[in-house]
Amino acid sequence: MKKKMFFKHITYVFILATAVALSAADCVFIDRYDIMQTDEEGRQLNSVKAGSPMTFSVVGHLEPRTTDNNGVTSKLVFAMLAPKDWDVAHQAKVTYKTGYHDDPEEELSMSVIPESQLPKNGEGRTWAQCLTSDYGVGPNVLDDMEWIVFQTDKTWVVRNNEDKPFYIFVRTRAGQRNLKCKLGFFINHTDDGFSGGTDHRKVVFANDCFEVTGGKGMTIDFCNRHFNRLSPLTALQNDYVTISYQADVDPSVSSNPLAATDEIYLQGKAVTVSGKTYDAPAIGAQTLMRRQSNLGRSFSLTIWPAGFFNVPTDEIIDHIDYYFSNADGSAIVNQSTDDKVQLGASDGDDTPFNLKLECE
């Protein structure tokens, strides 16, 4: 006798990406899902350590209502929004079980859809381009994420009123960077291929963050806006880096000393691997940050770290400590300011923002 499978219901809303081709009356249902990971002590957590294996699973069923007596043939399509650091396209093994198969307990394979295989109604765009165009990175505030699209290796014939279950399993591995993000999942099918409406395609983003800990660097927070923002997220001293101050994260002067200031300056220092420090230029034209738009209160400055901090060519920058200042240096926003707003923390006032210079 085969064991019956159970999946724990949790408070995180992740969507499966699966589908069948059918008429507008056909429905796909998500019945249960489990994204929690089990740690070494057997605890269920919505986090993992860097480099650890992860498994996400979804249980649902189909209610096909087609008028075609021969049934409808299609491949199920599954897409996942995940950090680029996870390299899901190469790391993940995606399988599924379905009641349409002779052995409903057998796990069948899914593969990444080749870029040359365009969605039927994608207007010449790839699957990933369609997803990025329609949904972006969802509720995440940083764009260093990607949609990875899979399809079943087998084509299925689904007939009217054949209501049967499916199970999707995503087995992959966390990357090496500390981060937290809101994952997204999408469903569609190849016979539809991104047509208009939502009858055959659905997208859902997690309400809560999934976190990777114990890895490299400070935690990259895709979930919440902070006073500081970096682009790109990883760089070396000879790369160009854009550092931004986002004043409207908290417009209250009581918690944001620069809330009412339009002249924002980048200050700080570069610390080399040998322990030497090199200060940023003095407050002035070289360190003045430019307002990005009249519609918001974000200010940015693009720097070449080696040149900006005047670091000799024989020195290698390990990290940059930086903060934002007004014209006379009497008011600043730094990591301590951000922690007070985000976490309610009150341990000191002088911790700078930190950028560790390293390649991917």
Side-chain angles (χ1 to χ4, degrees):
M1 181 177 178
K2 294 177 180 176
K3 290 184 178 179
K4 187 175 182 179
M5 296 185 64
F6 293 90
F7 292 83
K8 187 181 296 181
H9 180 78
I10 57 175
T11 57
Y12 303 91
V13 181
F14 281 68
I15 196 164
L16 130 82
T18 188
V20 287
L22 318 173
S23 68
D26 300 313
C27 298
V28 177
F29 294 92
I30 308 301
D31 302 322
R32 302 183 299 278
Y33 45 83
D34 190 351
I35 63 163
M36 301 294 276
Q37 310 301 310
T38 305
D39 69 2
E40 296 88 342
E41 299 177 8
R43 296 175 300 178
Q44 294 287 297
L45 305 171
N46 65 321
S47 64
V48 295
K49 290 185 178 180
S52 297
M54 307 179 293
T55 299
F56 306 103
S57 55
V58 181
V59 183
H61 70 279
L62 306 179
E63 293 185 1
R65 300 294 180 267
T66 176
T67 56
D68 190 333
N69 293 329
N70 295 318
V72 179
T73 60
S74 188
K75 289 187 175 184
L76 287 67
V77 172
F78 162 68
M80 178 177 180
L81 176 69
K84 291 180 180 178
D85 183 57
W86 292 4
D87 192 18
V88 169
H90 298 99
Q91 295 291 332
K93 178 182 180 181
V94 180
T95 61
Y96 70 105
K97 298 195 294 188
T98 176
Y100 296 102
H101 187 44
D102 292 339
D103 181 0
E105 292 298 315
E106 181 182 357
E107 288 192 33
L108 305 169
S109 60
M110 300 184 80
S111 300
V112 173
I113 295 181
E115 285 200 1
S116 59
Q117 182 183 325
L118 304 180
K120 184 176 179 180
N121 293 292
E123 300 179 341
R125 299 171 296 172
T126 66
W127 282 90
Q129 287 171 338
C130 287
L131 286 157
T132 301
S133 175
D134 280 26
Y135 307 120
V137 292
N140 295 281
V141 300
L142 301 175
D143 58 8
D144 206 34
M145 300 187 74
E146 61 182 348
W147 287 100
I148 310 93
V149 192
F150 300 83
Q151 66 181 355
T152 60
D153 293 333
K154 181 178 175 61
T155 301
W156 293 97
V157 178
V158 180
R159 295 180 173 81
N160 190 36
N161 293 320
E162 286 188 339
D163 301 357
K164 295 184 179 182
F166 57 77
Y167 307 82
I168 299 285
F169 306 93
V170 181
R171 298 179 176 93
T172 188
R173 187 172 293 275
Q176 295 300 319
R177 299 196 66 86
N178 294 321
L179 59 83
K180 52 184 177 180
C181 65
K182 293 186 178 181
L183 300 176
F185 295 80
F186 168 84
I187 61 174
N188 198 206
H189 53 85
T190 54
D191 190 60
D192 175 74
F194 245 92
S195 68
T198 58
D199 291 331
H200 299 298
R201 60 177 169 123
K202 298 290 190 299
V203 67
V204 171
F205 300 96
N207 287 329
D208 296 275
C209 295
F210 190 87
E211 187 168 9
V212 177
T213 63
K216 297 192 301 184
M218 298 186 70
T219 299
I220 300 172
D221 188 354
F222 291 82
C223 300
N224 305 292
R225 295 184 72 225
H226 294 262
F227 285 126
N228 67 313
R229 177 171 178 165
L230 298 170
S231 181
L233 298 178
T234 57
L236 295 174
Q237 67 186 48
N238 287 316
D239 295 327
Y240 284 98
V241 180
T242 299
I243 300 176
S244 300
Y245 160 64
Q246 303 181 116
D248 49 3
V249 166
D250 191 321
S252 169
V253 176
S254 62
S255 55
N256 176 5
L258 300 177
T261 304
D262 285 331
E263 285 189 34
I264 308 296
Y265 298 86
L266 178 64
Q267 290 291 280
K269 63 184 179 181
V271 181
T272 67
V273 293
S274 64
K276 294 182 180 179
T277 62
Y278 296 87
D279 292 332
I283 291 175
Q286 192 174 352
T287 56
L288 178 64
M289 305 182 75
R290 276 67 179 177
R291 189 166 180 171
Q292 296 176 352
S293 168
N294 290 330
L295 300 178
R297 285 189 45 76
S298 291
F299 303 78
S300 67
L301 182 64
T302 299
I303 66 170
W304 169 41
F308 184 78
F309 292 98
N310 197 25
V311 177
T313 56
D314 60 348
E315 289 277 0
I316 299 175
I317 301 175
D318 178 75
H319 65 274
I320 295 171
D321 292 329
Y322 66 97
Y323 60 92
F324 309 115
S325 170
N326 63 355
D328 63 9
S330 61
I332 67 171
V333 166
N334 58 16
Q335 185 64 59
S336 297
T337 317
D338 195 76
D339 288 344
K340 289 177 182 177
V341 171
Q342 301 289 341
L343 307 172
S346 58
D347 296 335
D349 297 312
D350 58 356
T351 303
F353 296 113
N354 179 271
L355 169 59
K356 176 76 171 177
L357 293 188
E358 56 188 354
C359 60
E360 291 284 359

